[in-house]
């Protein structure tokens, strides 16, 4: 701990360099800093070796090896799925129970089936481990219906649409935003600072070292798709107008709760081409909501390197959740815009800039979010937010968009 503190301070107080060298000797670390280690032939090996040495210097965060939790997609139809965050050891029966509650269908009439890309189907037994890390690359997991003969048949897109009801309209917007924030915070707080380095420096095989970061990025994408899905699956114009208003309010609440990850995702979802083209819907949005949405949209303006967002985020007190894709873009730009080695010597200026950017995570997590919980009357809110039902096919979203509001 003392060595880490001296290392942090040596940039401001060069006089500590002598003490730093003494600490290196004491810790037996001087062997790791030889000239040979920094030769061009050992660049990548050296940097990742240093990451592992410094692991204990960083704030300790949970890793996927400890929690063994991943996002698993259970497809309802060819284009829509329920996102389930669960442990790798979760059984098929537990996954099926979550999905059945989500789509409001009797659990005993459903079955989990893995479908390979070649079309081969295999039904999962109740005690089978439903999630495996290789599943995503080799096959998809579907929920099928059992009929009277115990054979399996998939849901069709039309059946899924007919069964769907707009439950979100009856949920308090602050409570919904709060549950989104609580869930995002649990994902964000688990990210180790090292994951940003692995994500940037190691393009191949980096998934093993960036699991928690990948979960938050995937969540951001799913919230964006969820907003578009909810709106486009609503065939009644009056309810669709209410939904758009509700999502604008949820975005505003996420900003107030300093959750910029879901805030960005919701605004981007409302700006999806398949949603923004709904002229009949947007015409009926009251002026005050249009004005509010314009103000929220201005924070996502990318001009001047996202100046509006950066200024607003800087003023927010911690704890707060940043828009992670932008933070990763900053680290990537520093990495790709500056050489790691100059004349066979380490470019420490570049590494200091990356360290400063990565260190911003600590500032965001200086404090913990409060223990405020959504109101008790919405006991179904947590599973609703934790297991989003989305359509992940842009073509399918456009077809829905043109079905509810045909081109004039």
């Amino acid at each position: 701990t003392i060595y880490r503190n001296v290392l942090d301070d040596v940039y401001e107080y060069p006089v500590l360099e002598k003490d730093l060298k003494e600490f290196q000797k004491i810790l037996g670390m001087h062997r790791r800093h030889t000239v040979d280690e920094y030769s061009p032939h050992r660049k990548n090996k050296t940097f990742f070796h240093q990451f592992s040495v410094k692991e204990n210097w960083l704030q300790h965060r949970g890793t996927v090896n400890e929690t063994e939790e991943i996002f698993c997609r259970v497809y309802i139809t060819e284009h829509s799925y329920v996102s389930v965050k669960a442990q790798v050891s979760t059984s098929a029966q537990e996954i099926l129970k979550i999905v059945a509650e989500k789509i409001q269908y009797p659990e005993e009439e459903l079955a989990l089936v893995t479908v390979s890309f070649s079309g081969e189907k295999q039904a999962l037994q109740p005690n089978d481990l439903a999630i495996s890390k290789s599943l995503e690359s080799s096959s998809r997991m579907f929920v099928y219906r059992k009929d009277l003969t115990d054979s399996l048949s998939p849901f069709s897109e039309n059946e899924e649409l007919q069964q769907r009801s707009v439950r979100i309209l009856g949920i308090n917007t602050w409570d919904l935003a709060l549950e989104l924030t609580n869930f995002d915070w649990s994902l964000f707080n688990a990210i180790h600072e090292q994951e940003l380095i692995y994500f940037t420096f190691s393009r191949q095989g980096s998934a093993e070292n960036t699991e928690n970061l990948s979960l938050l990025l995937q969540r951001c994408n799913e919230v964006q798709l969820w907003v578009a899905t909810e709106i486009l699956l609503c065939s009644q114009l009056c309810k669709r107008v209410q939904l758009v208003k509700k999502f604008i309010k949820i975005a505003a609440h996420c900003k107030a709760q300093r959750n910029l990850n879901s805030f960005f995702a919701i605004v981007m979802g409302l700006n999806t081409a398949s949603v923004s083209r709904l002229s009949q819907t947007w015409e009926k949005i009251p002026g005050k909501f249009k004005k509010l949405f314009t103000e929220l949209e201005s924070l996502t303006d990318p001009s001047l390197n996202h100046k509006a967002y950066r200024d607003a985020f800087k003023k927010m007190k911690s704890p707060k959740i940043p828009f992670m894709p932008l933070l990763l873009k900053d680290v990537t730009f520093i990495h790709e815009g500056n050489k790691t080695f100059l004349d066979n010597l380490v470019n420490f200026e570049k590494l200091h800039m990356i360290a400063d950017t990565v260190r911003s995570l600590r500032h965001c997590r200086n404090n913990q979010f409060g223990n405020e919980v959504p109101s008790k009357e919405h006991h179904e809110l947590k599973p609703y937010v934790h297991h989003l039902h989305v359509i992940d096919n842009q073509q399918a979203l456009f077809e829905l968009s043109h079905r509810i509001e045909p081109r004039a």
Side-chain angles (χ1 to χ4, degrees):
T1 301
I2 296 173
Y3 178 76
R4 183 192 65 195
N5 292 334
V6 173
L7 185 68
D8 287 342
D9 291 341
V10 75
Y11 305 126
E12 290 184 42
Y13 307 102
V15 71
L16 291 174
E17 190 171 353
K18 183 179 177 182
D19 300 300
L20 189 66
K21 289 178 180 178
E22 289 298 317
F23 273 118
Q24 287 174 351
K25 291 177 183 177
I26 293 169
L27 294 172
M29 297 179 66
H30 59 289
R31 292 189 301 273
R32 307 187 191 280
H33 293 267
T34 63
V35 174
D36 180 59
E37 290 274 351
Y38 288 112
S39 65
H41 301 294
R42 304 189 62 179
K43 287 180 183 178
N44 291 336
K45 183 177 178 182
T46 300
F47 272 102
F48 286 108
H49 182 53
Q50 295 305 321
F51 295 158
S52 65
V53 169
K54 295 174 183 175
E55 185 167 0
N56 291 328
W57 303 351
L58 301 172
Q59 294 169 314
H60 175 71
R61 300 288 168 189
T63 67
V64 80
N65 292 328
E66 296 168 0
T67 61
E68 289 293 322
E69 285 187 329
I70 62 172
F71 274 128
C72 125
R73 296 177 178 181
V74 183
Y75 282 81
I76 312 299
T77 67
E78 188 65 31
H79 300 309
S80 69
Y81 67 83
V82 172
S83 175
V84 180
K85 181 172 177 273
Q87 294 184 354
V88 175
S89 58
T90 303
S91 68
Q93 188 170 11
E94 291 171 301
I95 295 288
L96 193 59
K97 182 179 179 182
I98 292 171
V99 177
E101 289 177 0
K102 186 68 182 177
I103 64 175
Q104 297 180 305
Y105 206 89
E107 182 184 344
E108 60 274 10
E109 295 181 23
L110 299 174
L112 276 186
V113 180
T114 58
V115 182
S116 67
F117 292 134
S118 61
E120 185 180 347
K121 300 181 180 67
Q122 180 181 355
L124 294 172
Q125 298 305 310
N127 293 327
D128 286 347
L129 298 184
I131 304 172
S132 77
K133 291 182 179 179
S134 61
L135 177 65
E136 192 171 335
S137 59
S138 61
S139 61
R140 281 179 168 183
M141 196 173 352
F142 276 80
V143 61
Y144 274 37
R145 297 174 305 169
K146 297 176 182 176
D147 63 13
L148 296 175
T149 60
D150 244 9
S151 63
L152 300 171
S153 57
F155 282 88
S156 70
E157 303 285 351
N158 288 335
E159 286 174 328
E160 194 271 330
L161 292 182
Q162 289 169 2
Q163 292 172 1
R164 188 177 180 83
S165 61
V166 185
R167 287 183 289 165
I168 188 176
L169 290 178
I171 300 174
N172 179 277
T173 51
W174 179 265
D175 287 349
L176 187 51
L178 187 62
E179 197 58 67
L180 284 168
T181 298
N182 289 338
F183 190 70
D184 283 1
W185 177 254
S186 69
L187 297 176
F188 175 62
N189 204 33
I191 295 173
H192 197 295
E193 295 168 9
Q194 260 180 246
E195 294 188 45
L196 277 73
I197 306 297
Y198 276 110
F199 185 91
T200 306
F201 277 75
S202 176
R203 293 303 182 188
Q204 293 182 342
S206 61
E208 293 181 5
N209 303 302
T210 59
E211 289 94 346
N212 299 303
L213 177 58
S214 297
L215 287 180
L216 187 60
L217 294 175
Q218 185 177 334
R219 175 67 174 185
C220 182
N221 184 54
E222 287 181 346
V223 169
Q224 182 180 345
L225 289 170
W226 165 64
V227 172
T229 299
E230 288 284 355
I231 293 170
L232 296 173
L233 285 179
C234 184
S235 57
Q236 297 178 40
L237 178 59
C238 60
K239 286 189 176 180
R240 204 159 56 245
V241 171
Q242 292 178 46
L243 265 177
V244 173
K245 288 165 55 181
K246 200 165 193 80
F247 278 121
I248 292 173
K249 288 173 70 175
I250 294 170
H253 291 329
C254 283
K255 175 177 172 285
Q257 293 167 12
R258 306 185 297 283
N259 177 7
L260 280 300
N261 203 63
S262 281
F263 164 76
F264 259 82
I266 293 170
V267 172
M268 289 190 296
L270 290 169
N271 276 325
T272 302
S274 52
V275 174
S276 61
R277 66 164 294 277
L278 301 176
S279 55
Q280 296 175 34
T281 303
W282 286 99
E283 282 173 6
K284 292 186 176 292
I285 301 296
K288 68 175 184 178
F289 279 92
K290 287 181 179 177
K291 182 182 177 184
L292 174 60
F293 184 58
T294 301
E295 292 173 0
L296 299 176
E297 243 185 336
S298 66
L299 280 180
T300 66
D301 182 4
S303 61
L304 299 176
N305 193 18
H306 289 272
K307 185 178 186 301
Y309 161 77
R310 294 181 193 279
D311 290 346
F313 190 70
K314 197 178 294 184
K315 293 176 183 176
M316 291 180 182
K317 64 179 182 179
S318 62
K320 52 188 177 180
I321 305 172
F323 180 50
M324 194 55 72
L326 185 57
L327 188 61
L328 287 171
K329 188 187 95 168
D330 291 344
V331 179
T332 302
F333 269 43
I334 295 171
H335 175 48
E336 295 183 352
N338 301 274
K339 292 184 177 180
T340 306
F341 291 85
L342 297 173
D343 299 327
N344 204 23
L345 297 174
V346 179
N347 180 5
F348 281 104
E349 186 60 34
K350 168 186 173 174
L351 302 184
H352 290 166
M353 288 191 290
I354 290 178
D356 287 340
T357 306
V358 172
R359 203 175 287 125
S360 65
L361 286 186
R362 295 185 194 178
H363 175 65
C364 295
R365 301 190 289 212
N366 273 347
N367 301 301
Q368 291 290 321
F369 271 106
N371 295 322
E372 185 181 353
V373 293
S375 54
K376 292 180 181 178
E377 62 221 44
H378 293 299
H379 58 277
E380 79 282 4
L381 189 55
K382 190 170 184 176
Y384 177 83
V385 169
H386 282 216
H387 311 301
L388 297 180
H389 187 188
V390 307
I391 296 174
D392 70 338
N393 183 287
Q394 292 299 325
Q395 184 62 37
L397 290 173
F398 262 106
E399 288 175 5
L400 280 172
S401 179
H402 284 283
R403 189 186 306 175
I404 58 177
E405 288 193 23
R407 186 181 287 116

